[in-house]
Amino acid sequence: MTSKSTQYEIGLIGLAVMGENLALNIAGKGFAIAVYNRTVDKVAHFVNSRGQGLPVGGAASMAEFTAMLTKPRKIILMVKAGQPVDDMLQALVPHLDPGDIIIDGGNSHFEDTRRRCRECKEQGFHFMGLGVSGGEEGALKGPSLMPGGEESIYKQVEPILLSIAAKVPEGVCCQYVGPDGAGHYVKIVHNGIEYGDMQLISEAYHLMRDALGLSADDLQQVFDGWNQGVLESFLIEITAGILARKDAETGKPVVDIIVDQAGQKGTGKWTIQSALDLGVPTPTITQAVFARYMSAYKKQRMEAANILTGPDRRYAGNKGEFIKAIHDALYASKICSYAQGFDLLAAAGKAYHWDLNYGDIALLWRGGCIIRARFLAKIEESFRHNCDLPNLMLAPFFRQALIAAQANWRFAVKTGKELGIPTPAFSASLDYYDSYRAALLPANLLQAQRDYFGAHTYERLDKPGVFHYDWY
Ligand code: 6PG
């Protein structure tokens, strides 16, 4: 119907905004792309509007779409994660030939991707799970890409992916991650870290708003300042931008008229579900997910606010010192959160036999994605220097940063507690740090309790073996 030539190097199915923008990015780099959408009207509209002047061809049917592509076909799916991906695969497969490559660019669960890799292989096709981050703008101008699947298959699409991905001084934000679900797993962990970052920033905002009574304008200046230093990142930058915006109707800061109930699509939950499955402590990310759940209890919270009492929320001490303490608490907590994310990647790598390269992963998160930040360059450096680091907190740069931030971090958390302002992710991060550095935790007592009521046995510090004490 709207095709402009017969052979296209790549195809894309799913013209919601991410799909459209990714298609435009690909076409803008000179790759001829064919597009198809379940609601076919959208195709012609896209090709004739945003696709004008670019090597974009539209198809009115799946048969027409697949006929437009050079073989082996390379097809990116940008459809909603879950059942829609399976439905689309089912519709697509009858039109494919052996050796064709299907690339799922949605936020799919990595277990689904592993299954689809197996199923496609059985049918003679190749399936890749491609983590894509950066939102609408990233998709258009340069996303962070996390490709997983067979490496030889990745190589066939690598030139396109490298050319559309974000670029930073350290390199390109697209690195082959590993087999089957590895790319989507890395995207899930990215999102868990994204949840952690957003919650930590929100806690800093909460402390400054409630304890110091700072206005949105004051806060905008604080976050702007923070974005010039070690916290420099996309999320801090947009936070300052958000705080500056005024509602056209009321003149109030937009942030002050938004209901304090967080939504979510579930990728943060997937991160902590995987952490539970793999036995990895990820308390910062977990608290970030739980904080969203707690925020959803809006009605109950409003009622409880009139029943359950707490201390006066105003901080009477030095304002500048407290702001600096909150800054340091945010930075140190962020380090803990990333340490948890990378620890989770290490456990998943072992469990699923992925040979993950943490330096590469830090690089592909350095730009384009939602968690892009200056300090990811330091994470990359740390893992390049020692790929067997047991925990990011032990890398010399981060160990020093934690030591330097420590007193202020404790002060910010303690003050939050004294004032009754919740800081679940700050606190969980500090507990993570203190637990990880504790040579002796109280689990000896816990083991004794287990042995007492269930004869679950314990090991001794002074000699090897498994023991049971006759408690009764
Ligand atoms: C990205 C984002 C993106 C998105 C998710 C999470 O990397 O571009 O992570 O995938 O924002 O949908 O959003 P929720 O907060 O709704 O879970």
Side-chain angles (χ1 to χ4, degrees):
M1 69 178 215
T2 44
S3 50
K4 295 166 186 168
S5 91
T6 45
Q7 291 295 286
Y8 290 82
E9 290 160 87
I10 188 155
L12 183 142
I13 300 178
L15 291 175
V17 68
M18 286 292 285
E20 279 197 7
N21 284 358
L22 205 63
L24 291 175
N25 186 353
I26 294 170
K29 297 291 177 310
F31 299 100
I33 183 166
V35 295
Y36 174 68
N37 193 67
R38 211 161 38 109
T39 317
V40 187
D41 293 353
K42 250 195 139 180
V43 177
H45 181 255
F46 172 68
V47 173
N48 297 323
S49 55
R50 300 185 75 200
Q52 273 291 339
L54 290 168
V56 181
S61 68
M62 194 67 99
E64 189 186 346
F65 172 70
T66 47
M68 288 163 73
L69 300 171
T70 48
K71 294 181 192 173
R73 298 180 181 88
K74 301 165 191 75
I75 299 169
I76 302 180
L77 299 184
M78 292 300 290
V79 301
K80 205 166 174 301
Q83 193 57 41
V85 177
D86 289 310
D87 294 345
M88 195 51 82
L89 271 175
Q90 218 181 6
L92 181 60
V93 157
H95 302 276
L96 297 182
D97 291 303
D100 285 351
I101 303 166
I102 305 153
I103 305 154
D104 176 13
N107 268 337
S108 290
H109 194 283
F110 75 102
E111 288 288 14
D112 283 337
T113 304
R114 301 183 83 208
R115 169 179 58 79
R116 289 171 188 140
C117 282
R118 275 195 310 272
E119 290 171 356
C120 282
K121 199 167 186 163
E122 279 160 21
Q123 298 174 81
F125 313 118
H126 305 285
F127 191 85
M128 289 183 57
L130 175 68
V132 179
S133 177
E136 298 169 24
E137 210 197 339
L140 184 65
K141 297 185 180 159
S144 158
L145 297 175
M146 296 152 243
E150 295 161 74
E151 193 165 7
S152 59
I153 300 305
Y154 163 72
K155 287 286 170 203
Q156 295 189 42
V157 288
E158 188 180 46
I160 299 178
L161 298 185
L162 288 182
S163 94
I164 64 166
K167 317 282 182 303
V168 290
E170 295 83 6
V172 185
C173 299
C174 171
Q175 304 285 322
Y176 172 71
V177 175
D180 56 76
H184 274 147
Y185 192 87
V186 169
K187 177 61 174 45
I188 288 174
V189 175
H190 165 282
N191 280 32
I193 291 176
E194 173 186 307
Y195 274 52
D197 275 352
M198 293 169 79
Q199 176 62 24
L200 291 170
I201 293 170
S202 300
E203 288 178 17
Y205 157 79
H206 195 183
L207 280 174
M208 290 188 281
R209 187 192 66 187
D210 287 20
L212 299 174
L214 297 193
S215 67
D217 284 338
D218 299 334
L219 285 161
Q220 183 244 321
Q221 284 184 17
V222 172
F223 281 103
D224 247 348
W226 288 2
N227 202 40
Q228 313 306 315
V230 290
L231 288 172
E232 182 193 312
S233 59
F234 170 70
L235 284 169
I236 294 281
E237 182 192 325
I238 66 163
T239 300
I242 288 166
L243 290 160
R245 294 301 175 92
K246 302 284 185 291
D247 174 48
E249 228 174 277
T250 60
K252 289 182 182 168
V254 175
V255 72
D256 290 347
I257 57 166
I258 295 178
V259 177
D260 55 324
Q261 265 181 308
Q264 58 192 307
K265 296 204 192 76
T267 45
K269 181 182 77 180
W270 289 351
T271 312
I272 63 174
Q273 280 175 333
S274 174
L276 289 171
D277 288 343
L278 297 171
V280 179
T282 55
T284 308
I285 299 170
T286 304
Q287 286 304 330
V289 177
F290 285 172
R292 290 199 191 192
Y293 292 170
M294 181 58 92
S295 79
Y297 282 30
K298 176 70 174 167
K299 190 164 169 287
Q300 285 188 48
R301 288 191 289 112
M302 285 174 69
E303 283 161 12
N306 297 318
I307 304 168
L308 303 173
T309 60
D312 180 357
R313 296 194 149 205
R314 279 306 162 99
Y315 177 68
N318 183 292
K319 192 164 124 182
E321 280 173 14
F322 192 41
I323 293 175
K324 173 75 174 90
I326 296 168
H327 169 278
D328 290 358
L330 175 51
Y331 184 44
S333 300
K334 187 176 163 87
I335 295 169
C336 290
S337 183
Y338 282 67
Q340 294 160 33
F342 277 93
D343 193 24
L344 184 55
L345 288 174
K350 267 195 209 109
Y352 303 111
H353 311 291
W354 300 326
D355 186 17
L356 300 178
N357 182 319
Y358 312 122
D360 281 357
I361 293 169
L363 169 61
L364 62 81
W365 288 346
R366 170 75 183 84
C369 63
I370 304 299
I371 65 168
R372 61 186 182 260
R374 185 206 282 194
F375 100 140
L376 274 153
K378 290 290 177 197
I379 299 183
E380 184 194 352
E381 231 173 84
S382 302
F383 282 118
R384 298 260 188 248
H385 182 251
N386 179 6
C387 60
D388 294 324
L389 256 181
N391 188 294
L392 184 66
M393 295 188 295
L394 298 174
F397 177 85
F398 291 107
R399 194 181 65 209
Q400 281 310 322
L402 288 165
I403 290 169
Q406 192 171 159
N408 270 343
W409 187 13
R410 292 185 192 284
F411 176 63
V413 170
K414 183 185 89 169
T415 307
K417 296 281 170 279
E418 280 170 2
L419 302 176
I421 300 172
T423 54
F426 277 5
S427 310
S429 306
L430 185 51
D431 282 334
Y432 177 75
Y433 175 74
D434 282 335
S435 299
Y436 189 77
R437 66 183 192 84
L440 202 59
L441 284 170
N444 49 334
L445 175 60
L446 201 144
Q447 282 294 80
Q449 290 165 339
R450 292 179 68 245
D451 190 54
Y452 191 119
F453 62 67
H456 293 301
T457 72
Y458 54 86
E459 289 178 80
R460 293 177 62 114
L461 286 171
D462 54 357
K463 56 182 174 190
V466 176
F467 300 88
H468 167 63
Y469 185 85
D470 191 8
W471 303 98
Y472 291 98

